[in-house]
Amino acid sequence: MDVSELRQRVEQKSASLPIALPEPQVAAAWRKVEAALTWQRQASHHYLICRDDPLYPPLLQQIADPPSVLFIKGHPEALLRPAIAIVGSRAASHAGLALAFQLAAELDSIGLAVVSGMAAGIDGAAHKGALSHSGSTIAVLGTGVEQIYPKRHRQLYQDIQQYGAVVSEFWPDITAFAGNFPKRNRIISGLALGTLVVEARRRSGSLISARTAMEQGREVFAIPGPVISGDHQGCHDLIKNGAKLVESLADIVEELPPLLQSHLQALPGHVPLQTEHNSQLPFKTLLASVGYETTPLDVVVEQSGITLDLVLEQLLELELQGWVAAVPGGYVRLKRN
């Protein structure tokens, strides 16, 4: 995005207002615009994405109040991947941290990105799990993208940029402010097909993400736990109110076909699902890349030579036709020629 393009957008927005803005307010607005563009030019991995940009996440477009601008450090195309959000307690138990790490790694193994808030506890464990095999993860911050919060996550902040993206709707230099964190939770759930709550007390802030996911019409998953300590009361409440109870990745995977179908239809340049010509087998090239034992998604992509987005489309169609099944760790073939 260049200065003239952003200036034109601001002028169009100003012209649509019922009253003219005072000159000092206009000057202040231009200073902010120039500062944002200066930030974007500082590094090749800095991006400003407006709502009409092809890289703006289509699922985020669908929420009631999508951010008008996203500041991104890393790879903006990561925001177009199908994703699951993982959230939970900042003061999580060892078991909760281990479970968040494991599920995030397993989600990555079947081609799903992991979205979270880079907070202490479950958020950090989820990001680390997704990154454990150089996978893709997205951190949505309640600060500007130049602020590392909490400070202990400095290395995590760098690693996420290398393999995924750090995202915020706030100006890059905005520091931590309590009121901004609940606001950012709508973006966490808005980027994802569904939101998984791993460990949460009844008043946990992570339940805001679950609530916004419900309001956005997205799937909500929750992991139950012991009833004595109270650390899982929030998850139990979610399950009572209709969230999907999760004991393993399979509980999430079985909900994915309709969710992925919706996501793929929203992607820019979506190619309608169809079978290959001159063959009685659907998607012959892709089908040959799926074995009768679990085949990881990255192996399917490598062997087929097909792009990830198209692989996900075709696998979904093959699953609906009963040719393959999604299982923990990848896909298996069910029928022979």
Side-chain angles (χ1 to χ4, degrees), residues 86 99-112 114 125-133 249 329:
I86 298 181
L99 192 53
F101 183 99
Q102 176 187 333
L103 285 170
E106 290 176 350
L107 286 167
D108 173 70
S109 74
I110 62 171
L112 294 171
V114 172
H127 288 306
K128 291 173 183 176
L131 291 168
S132 61
H133 298 290
L249 180 66

Side-chain angles (χ1 to χ4, degrees), residues 79 85 96 106 114 163 172 240 276 313:
L79 277 67
E106 290 176 350
V114 172
Y163 297 106
K240 289 177 183 177
E276 296 182 22
E313 289 184 52

Side-chain angles (χ1 to χ4, degrees), residues 30-40 42 71 171-172:
W30 279 121
R31 285 194 296 271
K32 292 188 70 175
V33 168
E34 296 292 347
L37 292 169
T38 298
W39 172 85
Q40 182 188 33
Q42 286 174 351
F71 294 87
W171 245 242

Side-chain angles (χ1 to χ4, degrees), residues 65-330:
D65 52 347
S68 56
V69 178
L70 293 173
F71 294 87
I72 298 172
K73 293 181 74 172
H75 304 276
E77 63 275 9
L79 277 67
L80 299 179
R81 290 187 60 189
I84 296 293
I86 298 181
V87 296
S89 172
R90 284 176 166 81
S93 67
H94 177 76
L97 296 174
L99 192 53
F101 183 99
Q102 176 187 333
L103 285 170
E106 290 176 350
L107 286 167
D108 173 70
S109 74
I110 62 171
L112 294 171
V114 172
V115 183
S116 199
M118 212 181 79
I122 296 297
D123 287 23
H127 288 306
K128 291 173 183 176
L131 291 168
S132 61
H133 298 290
S134 301
S136 178
T137 186
I138 300 158
V140 183
L141 307 186
T143 65
V145 292
E146 292 299 332
Q147 303 297 315
I148 303 173
Y149 185 84
K151 296 296 184 183
R152 75 183 79 164
H153 280 169
R154 180 175 298 277
Q155 186 58 54
L156 180 61
Y157 169 82
Q158 299 295 340
D159 292 342
I160 291 172
Q161 292 175 53
Q162 183 176 355
Y163 297 106
V166 173
V167 183
S168 179
E169 66 178 321
F170 304 112
W171 245 242
D173 59 350
I174 294 296
T175 57
F177 174 69
N180 287 344
F181 290 91
K183 186 177 181 183
R184 67 86 190 265
N185 287 2
R186 81 190 195 287
I187 303 177
I188 292 176
S189 59
L191 286 169
L193 299 167
T195 295
L196 169 65
V197 184
V198 175
E199 187 175 293
R201 286 182 170 270
R202 189 156 279 159
R203 293 189 177 183
S204 171
S206 62
L207 298 180
I208 298 174
S209 295
R211 189 192 70 234
T212 57
M214 291 178 179
E215 292 171 349
Q216 293 161 357
R218 309 289 167 81
E219 192 72 38
V220 177
F221 306 95
I223 297 178
V227 298
I228 298 175
S229 68
D231 290 340
H232 301 268
Q233 286 177 331
C235 293
H236 295 164
D237 289 344
L238 289 174
I239 294 168
K240 289 177 183 177
N241 289 313
K244 175 72 180 287
L245 187 152
V246 171
E247 295 178 310
S248 68
L249 180 66
D251 295 314
I252 299 175
V253 167
E254 67 183 14
E255 303 295 333
L256 290 182
L259 299 175
L260 282 170
Q261 179 70 65
S262 174
H263 172 79
L264 291 168
Q265 288 176 344
L267 282 174
H270 170 71
V271 180
L273 297 174
Q274 57 185 350
T275 57
E276 296 182 22
H277 296 294
N278 304 320
S279 174
Q280 295 181 347
L281 293 175
F283 308 120
K284 183 177 180 180
T285 300
L286 182 66
L287 194 56
S289 302
V290 182
Y292 294 99
E293 296 182 355
T294 302
T295 308
L297 182 61
D298 58 346
V299 174
V300 176
V301 173
E302 180 180 355
Q303 291 183 354
S304 66
I306 304 173
T307 63
L308 174 62
D309 285 346
L310 190 54
V311 163
L312 289 171
E313 289 184 52
Q314 294 184 359
L315 282 173
L316 175 60
E317 181 70 6
L318 289 171
E319 187 173 3
L320 294 173
Q321 293 181 20
W323 285 92
V324 302
V327 297

